[in-house]
Amino acid sequence: MTEEIEFILDSTEESMNGSIAHLEKEFLNIRAGKASPAMLGSVFVDYYGSATPLSQVSKISVPDARTITLQPFEKNMLSVIEKAIMVANIGFNPMNNGDVIIISVPPLTEERRKDLAKQAKSEAEDAKIGVRNVRKDSNTDIKKLEKEGTSEDVCKSAEEEVQNLTNTYIKKIDELLAAKEAEIMKV
């Protein structure tokens, strides 16, 4: 295979890996009933005028499956953190005891579990669309090379390789979705 084709295949795989990484990150934001520090990953606190991730202004710990505790590095940040969690609108009601902020993670209802499963399916579908778009772009690049004089056989085998990569990554997405749905629906 030519150097250009190798480059196209490498960038195809890299982009498809990016779709998988993005999907895994999105799945972390879908809570499945168990308390996790990742649930607060989207919360930003106004720390001396700049939006700062919650994890950089407090220690986040999970003492049990239904509780998250936050211990601010500075006492004066308690109310600011509490307000930021409420503003983030992630469905938590923080309680402040003067030293730490305690968040009780409510158990999921059956309806909420189904909604989260739908959300996970939607994210997986977006990832599949991303993988298919990468395939389309790669095949377009391969066709350009064919017009520029690269042999038809080499281009055909490169297109088959792109399709094999696509199938592999679509299968990975389906596996990730199945695992996430099982995690969400487990009571």
Side-chain angles (χ1 to χ4, degrees), residues 57-176:
V57 295
S58 67
K59 178 180 169 238
I60 303 172
S61 58
V62 183
D64 62 56
R66 296 260 176 251
T67 311
I68 300 173
T69 59
L70 299 140
Q71 184 154 24
F73 299 134
E74 299 174 25
K75 283 269 194 236
N76 63 340
M77 293 300 292
L78 275 170
S79 60
V80 178
I81 290 172
E82 201 171 6
K83 184 178 171 198
I85 292 168
M86 290 170 139
V87 170
N89 198 18
I90 50 179
F92 293 139
N93 192 14
M95 294 175 293
N96 174 350
N97 72 3
D99 288 326
V100 294
I101 295 172
I102 301 166
I103 300 171
S104 292
V105 179
L108 296 174
T109 62
E110 187 65 28
E111 185 179 325
R112 182 71 180 131
R113 286 179 195 279
K114 288 179 180 168
D115 288 346
L116 290 175
K118 277 185 197 166
Q119 185 182 346
K121 264 190 189 125
S122 169
E123 293 294 344
E125 197 51 48
D126 289 348
K128 285 180 183 180
I129 289 169
V131 166
R132 290 183 190 120
N133 285 340
V134 170
R135 174 186 62 191
K136 186 180 111 202
D137 294 344
S138 298
N139 284 339
T140 303
D141 291 345
I142 291 169
K143 294 231 186 300
K144 276 184 200 164
L145 287 177
E146 191 174 350
K147 285 181 183 165
E148 291 170 6
T150 306
S151 86
E152 194 177 320
D153 289 345
V154 170
C155 290
K156 272 282 183 241
S157 69
E159 284 177 357
E160 285 173 14
E161 184 61 33
V162 168
Q163 185 57 47
N164 289 341
L165 283 171
T166 303
N167 295 343
T168 302
Y169 282 92
I170 295 283
K171 187 177 178 210
K172 274 185 191 175
I173 290 169
D174 287 335
E175 288 167 1
L176 287 170

Side-chain angles (χ1 to χ4, degrees), residues 17-84:
N17 264 327
S19 290
I20 296 282
H22 179 75
L23 177 66
E24 289 171 336
K25 188 174 165 226
E26 289 302 314
F27 277 177
L28 282 178
N29 293 333
I30 299 175
R31 69 183 188 97
K34 283 192 316 226
S36 158
M39 293 174 164
L40 301 171
S42 62
V43 179
F44 284 83
V45 178
D46 180 26
Y47 186 65
Y48 297 109
S50 66
T52 309
L54 190 57
S55 61
Q56 292 182 11
V57 295
S58 67
K59 178 180 169 238
I60 303 172
S61 58
V62 183
D64 62 56
R66 296 260 176 251
T67 311
I68 300 173
T69 59
L70 299 140
Q71 184 154 24
F73 299 134
E74 299 174 25
K75 283 269 194 236
N76 63 340
M77 293 300 292
L78 275 170
S79 60
V80 178
I81 290 172
E82 201 171 6
K83 184 178 171 198

